[in-house]
C-alpha cells in the first residue's frame, strides 16, 4: 500500500471531497481493486461494504444519454425497473465502458462516487447504511477510500432509494429503517 497517491485521477477525487470539508484517507494497493471482490479482498472488508459505482443512461428524446450513477452495496445488483421508478425515466440501460468514461471522466473499475467532470444524478443503495464504514473507488482501479455511509451520501449529493434487486440479506434489526441506518 502506498501512502501518497500520485495519480491525477485520485487527486481529483481528493480535491472534490476537500471542497466539502472531508479529508479522504485514500489507500493505493499494488493489487487491483478493479472489482468489488478485488477491493473487498484488498481491504479485508465484507463484499457488502464495497461501494460499486455503476453508470446507467436514460435515453432522452434528443437521443443524448442522460447519466445516472448508482452507488450500490457490493453484494447487490441494480434492478432496472426500480431505478426507472425512482428516477422517473423510462428507458434505462447500463452505460458502455466508453460512455461511462465520457460521462464521468474516470475508467470503469475506478469510477468514484464524486469528483466527476460534470454533475451526475446519484442514487445510493440503502444497504450501504448497514455498515459503519464502506469503501469506494478513488479514481483508479487500485485506489479506494473508507467513508461512513452518511458522509458518502453528502459527498456524492446522493438520493437514497431502493434500487437493488431483492436478495436474502443478514437479518436487519427490525426496529431500524434504512434511513435510520444511514443516520438520516
Ligand atoms: N474499484 C471497484 C470497487 S470500489 C469498482 O470500481 N467496482 S465497480 O463495481 O464499481 O466497477 C466494476 C464494475 O464495472 C463491474 O462490476 C462491472 O459490472 C462493470 N463493468 C465492467 N466492464 C464493463 C463494461 N464494459 N460496460 C459496463 N460496465 C462494465
Amino acid at each position: 500500500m502506498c501512502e501518497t497517491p500520485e495519480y491525477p485521477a485520485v487527486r481529483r477525487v481528493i480535491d472534490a471531497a476537500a471542497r466539502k470539508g472531508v479529508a479522504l484517507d485514500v489507500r493505493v494497493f499494488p493489487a487491483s481493486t478493479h472489482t468489488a471482490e478485488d477491493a473487498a479482498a484488498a481491504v479485508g472488508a465484507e463484499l457488502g461494504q464495497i461501494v460499486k459505482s455503476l453508470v446507467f443512461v436514460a435515453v432522452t428524446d434528443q437521443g443524448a444519454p442522460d447519466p445516472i450513477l448508482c452507488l450500490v452495496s457490493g453484494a447487490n445488483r441494480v434492478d432496472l425497473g426500480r431505478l426507472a421508478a425512482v428516477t422517473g425515466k423510462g428507458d434505462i440501460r447500463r452505460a458502455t465502458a466508453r460512455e461511462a468514461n465520457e460521462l464521468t471522466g474516470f475508467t470503469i473499475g475506478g469510477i468514484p462516487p464524486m469528483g466527476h467532470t460534470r454533475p451526475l444524478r446519484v442514487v445510493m443503495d440503502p444497504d450501504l447504511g448497514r455498515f459503519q464504514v464502506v469503501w469506494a473507488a478513488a479514481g483508479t482501479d487500485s485506489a479506494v477510500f473508507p467513508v461512513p455511509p452518511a458522509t458518502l451520501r453528502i459527498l456524492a449529493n446522493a438520493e437514497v432509494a431502493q434500487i437493488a434487486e431483492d436478495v436474502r440479506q443478514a437479518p436487519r434489526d427490525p426496529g431500524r429503517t434504512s434511513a435510520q441506518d444511514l443516520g438520516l
Side-chain angles (χ1 to χ4, degrees):
M1 192 176 75
C2 132
E3 297 299 334
T4 48
E6 302 296 342
Y7 303 95
V10 175
R11 173 54 53 192
R12 285 190 276 146
V13 181
I14 291 172
D15 289 349
R19 284 195 292 274
K20 291 201 172 184
V22 176
L24 289 191
D25 174 20
V26 171
R27 317 278 177 90
V28 181
F29 290 90
S32 167
T33 56
H34 185 95
T35 67
E37 288 80 3
D38 295 338
V43 304
E46 274 185 56
L47 184 57
Q49 281 178 275
I50 304 301
V51 182
K52 295 194 286 193
S53 301
L54 304 177
V55 183
F56 292 81
V57 289
V59 180
T60 64
D61 292 342
Q62 295 78 33
D66 183 9
I68 303 157
L69 180 69
C70 293
L71 305 181
V72 188
S73 172
N76 288 351
R77 293 170 54 89
V78 170
D79 180 320
L80 282 181
R82 285 184 169 168
L83 184 59
V86 164
T87 58
K89 313 268 185 193
D91 196 3
I92 296 182
R93 61 174 172 78
R94 191 73 176 264
T96 65
R98 182 177 177 164
E99 285 172 328
N101 177 241
E102 287 172 355
L103 293 165
T104 67
F106 295 90
T107 304
I108 279 178
I111 296 176
M114 71 284 178
H116 311 115
T117 39
R118 59 160 152 147
L120 298 178
R121 180 166 183 176
V122 183
V123 186
M124 181 170 164
D125 175 3
D127 277 350
L128 290 167
R130 295 157 50 91
F131 303 96
Q132 288 197 333
V133 167
V134 295
W135 293 78
T140 77
D141 67 0
S142 60
V144 291
F145 65 91
V147 65
T151 305
L152 176 65
R153 185 185 68 75
I154 292 165
L155 287 175
N157 194 25
E159 68 185 282
V160 179
Q162 186 56 258
I163 48 169
E165 293 176 357
D166 287 324
V167 284
R168 287 198 306 133
Q169 298 269 2
R172 177 191 287 286
D173 176 347
R176 292 178 70 84
T177 66
S178 299
Q180 283 172 328
D181 283 346
L182 279 167
L184 308 175

